[in-house]
């Protein structure tokens, strides 16, 4: 029986309903049999509050999403006005003003000749749409054998069957096999664990890029359609690119006629101090995929931006990109995105991140004096802190130790201490941070203080 107050479920009713009816994503349901489900009820600026009124610093921006922070009335009002004007209409054959305006604005912000915007409703859909675009494009230009995709180990690109196939995390792929064939993984850019050139970033970057060329050659260059890379790889703990990596990767893709896809579902819209990560690292991809920060999470939205050459064959009479989503380019989502981008411009958020990113790095690097902290890495407002058993040898934890450390202690302890972040075991154990872009030095100090206290206690428990 559900117990309700006048405005909804009571606190106890929420807990019982969550256990009985809500299937939380990427969650061990058994872990909440004897403990409460964290229930976040509202947000304001860089903070969120649970149903009991306790405040937490949202050090993960929800899930790398809330760029402009919580409770922005400008976006809420834009959403309400659009819903009153035109709540829904598809962009199949038709168009509507907000989708047109947003596409125009994104094309203006994107680098080079990435001018055509194809909307989706999520990052996974964006990644999968880019693969479908690449496949049909090559058929149209007389190269029908190009269908394979190269991506990096441990990289996460989404959960739909195509995006999951591109993903380089075997543990989340195995339950759903067989997946879409034709995907190949190459080494990532984690120089902290570099198998070669660990003391020479430029040499390591050349080596890592050359692994892509080797994979192209080993898998028949005329069968490879695309290479997928994040500007800063998320899974594994924020791997930034070594100097020259993307420039060499661009040369390799051009040499073999392969498309370069910059998966910016996390890295776009200010996360790295630029609208797009490709701009931050000075390379021109053929496709950019995006989602999350485009609306700061106020309404779901994703998409891809393609270069002119990819659009040309689809402009021939009788040709159609045979793909679409019911809610893609949704009028309300597009209105939210436009209001979100207005905030970026009006408040100078890109410049704010550029000015404060060095302070964020320096504040987190203070944690390197702790024996459990092996590496602090990332870019902009996107960082990973790798945890180790031995700083000198870089010895990591066993799977059992990592699970006990991250799930058994760190995740609940950090949350109890008032910090939302991510204790991640996809690869070596890390704590990930991705605060809203409105944060400044006072929030960085708060993050460092909580991490110092909890990581110190974690070391005592090892």
């Amino acid at each position: 029986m559900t117990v309700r107050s006048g405005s909804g479920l009571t606190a106890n009713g929420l807990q019982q309903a969550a256990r009985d009816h809500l299937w939380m994503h990427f969650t061990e349901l058994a872990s909440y049999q004897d403990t409460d489900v964290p229930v976040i009820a509202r947000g304001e600026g860089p903070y969120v509050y649970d149903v009991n009124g306790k405040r937490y610093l949202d050090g993960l921006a929800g899930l790398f999403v809330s760029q402009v922070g919580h409770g922005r009335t400008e976006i809420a009002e834009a959403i309400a006005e659009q819903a009153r004007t035109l709540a829904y209409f598809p962009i199949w054959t038709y168009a509507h003003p907000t989708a047109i305006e947003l596409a125009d604005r994104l094309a203006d912000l994107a680098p080079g000749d990435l001018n055509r915007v194809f909307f989706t409703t999520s990052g996974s859909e964006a990644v999968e749409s880019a693969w479908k675009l690449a496949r049909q494009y090559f058929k149209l230009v007389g190269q029908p054998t190009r269908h394979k995709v190269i991506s990096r180990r441990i990289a996460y690109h989404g959960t739909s069957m195509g995006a999951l196939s591109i993903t380089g995390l075997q543990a989340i792929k195995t339950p759903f096999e067989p997946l879409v064939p034709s995907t190949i993984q190459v080494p990532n850019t984690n120089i902290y664990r570099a198998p070669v050139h660990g003391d020479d970033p430029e040499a390591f970057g050349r080596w890592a890029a050359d692994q892509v060329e080797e994979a192209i050659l080993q898998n028949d260059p005329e069968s490879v359609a695309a290479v997928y890379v994040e500007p800063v790889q998320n899974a594994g703990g924020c791997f930034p690119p070594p100097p020259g990596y993307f420039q060499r990767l661009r040369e390799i893709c051009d040499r073999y006629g392969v498309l370069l896809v910059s998966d910016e579902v996390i890295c776009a819209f200010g996360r790295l101090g630029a609208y797009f990560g490709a701009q931050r690292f000075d390379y021109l991809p053929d496709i950019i995929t995006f989602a999350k920060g485009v609306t700061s999470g106020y309404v779901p939205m994703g998409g891809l931006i393609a270069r002119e050459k990819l659009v040309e064959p689809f402009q021939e009479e009788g040709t159609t990109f045979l793909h679409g989503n019911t809610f893609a380019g949704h009028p309300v989502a597009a209105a939210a995105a436009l209001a979100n981008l207005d905030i970026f411009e009006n408040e100078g958020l890109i410049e704010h991140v550029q000015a404060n990113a060095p302070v964020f790095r320096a504040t987190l690097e203070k944690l390197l004096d702790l024996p459990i902290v092996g590496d602090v890495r990332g870019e902009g407002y996107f960082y990973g802190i790798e945890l180790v058993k031995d700083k000198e040898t870089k010895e990591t934890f066993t799977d059992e130790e990592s699970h006990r450390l991250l799930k058994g202690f760190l995740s609940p302890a950090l949350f109890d201490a008032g910090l939302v972040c991510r204790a991640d075991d996809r690869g070596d154990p890390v704590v990930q941070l991705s605060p809203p872009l409105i944060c400044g030095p006072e929030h960085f100090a708060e993050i460092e203080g909580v991490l110092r206290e909890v990581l110190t206690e974690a070391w005592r428990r090892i």
Side-chain angles (χ1 to χ4, degrees), residues 362-421:
T363 303
L364 294 180
E365 285 179 342
K366 293 178 182 178
L367 297 168
L368 286 167
D369 67 354
L370 299 179
I372 197 173
V373 175
D375 192 29
V376 174
R377 56 181 177 254
E379 186 69 31
Y381 274 31
F382 187 35
Y383 272 82
I385 300 169
E386 183 167 335
L387 309 179
V388 294
K389 291 171 69 173
D390 189 310
K391 289 170 74 87
E392 293 299 319
T393 64
K394 302 182 183 180
E395 181 185 0
T396 191
F397 297 89
T398 66
D399 289 345
E400 191 277 330
E401 289 170 334
S402 182
H403 187 273
R404 190 170 69 245
L405 171 67
L406 297 180
K407 304 291 176 59
F409 176 70
L410 275 181
S411 288
L414 289 166
F415 188 72
D416 289 345
L419 177 63
V420 177
C421 57

Side-chain angles (χ1 to χ4, degrees), residues 200-245:
D200 187 339
E202 290 189 8
F204 176 65
R206 288 194 300 272
W207 174 85
D210 287 346
Q211 302 311 297
V212 175
E213 181 174 32
E214 185 174 329
I216 292 172
L217 291 171
Q218 288 180 345
N219 289 276
D220 179 9
E222 293 185 359
S223 72
V224 179
V227 174
Y228 275 69
V229 286
E230 298 165 275
V232 174
Q233 182 174 314
N234 168 37
C238 302
F239 304 146
Y245 173 79

Side-chain angles (χ1 to χ4, degrees), residues 329-348:
H330 194 288
V332 174
L338 289 167
N340 182 54
L341 292 174
D342 284 344
I343 292 173
F344 269 77
E345 292 184 9
N346 295 338
E347 299 183 9

Side-chain angles (χ1 to χ4, degrees), residues 101-297:
E101 185 179 347
L102 180 57
D104 178 68
R105 198 160 175 180
L106 292 174
D108 185 56
L109 293 173
D113 65 340
L114 284 100
N115 290 325
R116 188 67 61 127
V117 182
F118 183 93
F119 288 114
T120 67
T121 58
S122 72
S124 292
E125 287 178 1
V127 166
E128 194 140 337
S129 298
W131 194 4
K132 292 180 77 173
L133 171 58
R135 285 187 170 205
Q136 190 176 353
Y137 165 78
F138 280 119
K139 285 181 171 61
L140 291 174
V141 297
Q143 300 180 52
T145 59
R146 289 190 183 271
H147 59 92
K148 297 175 184 174
V149 168
I150 296 171
S151 59
R152 300 185 294 197
R153 292 175 193 148
I154 315 179
Y156 176 86
H157 292 287
T159 55
S160 59
M161 292 300 273
L164 185 61
S165 301
I166 297 170
T167 289
L169 292 159
Q170 189 56 45
I172 67 171
K173 298 168 73 162
T174 299
F176 308 106
E177 291 178 330
L179 297 174
V180 181
S182 310
T183 61
I184 305 143
Q185 270 76 54
V186 296
N188 56 50
T189 60
N190 181 9
I191 194 169
Y192 184 68
R193 299 284 178 186
V196 295
H197 306 302
D199 58 349
D200 187 339
E202 290 189 8
F204 176 65
R206 288 194 300 272
W207 174 85
D210 287 346
Q211 302 311 297
V212 175
E213 181 174 32
E214 185 174 329
I216 292 172
L217 291 171
Q218 288 180 345
N219 289 276
D220 179 9
E222 293 185 359
S223 72
V224 179
V227 174
Y228 275 69
V229 286
E230 298 165 275
V232 174
Q233 182 174 314
N234 168 37
C238 302
F239 304 146
Y245 173 79
F246 279 116
Q247 289 68 36
R248 193 169 184 87
L249 197 56
R250 178 72 270 179
E251 293 172 2
I252 291 167
C253 288
D254 288 343
R255 185 179 307 143
Y256 297 101
V258 174
L259 301 182
L260 179 57
V261 180
S262 188
D263 182 359
E264 306 210 14
V265 169
I266 288 176
C267 292
F269 303 106
R271 182 56 51 196
L272 306 182
Y275 277 105
F276 296 99
Q279 295 163 324
R280 170 62 186 85
F281 295 116
D282 192 27
Y283 65 97
L284 185 64
D286 297 298
I287 300 172
I288 289 175
T289 59
F290 66 88
K292 296 186 183 286
V294 67
T295 64
S296 282

Side-chain angles (χ1 to χ4, degrees), residues 72-106:
R72 303 299 297 243
T73 57
E74 311 97 302
I75 301 179
E77 289 167 358
I79 288 170
E81 178 59 29
Q82 182 59 49
R84 283 191 292 264
T85 304
L86 179 67
Y88 172 74
F89 208 76
I91 54 172
W92 295 41
T93 306
Y94 309 95
H96 54 76
T98 48
I100 296 170
E101 185 179 347
L102 180 57
D104 178 68
R105 198 160 175 180
L106 292 174

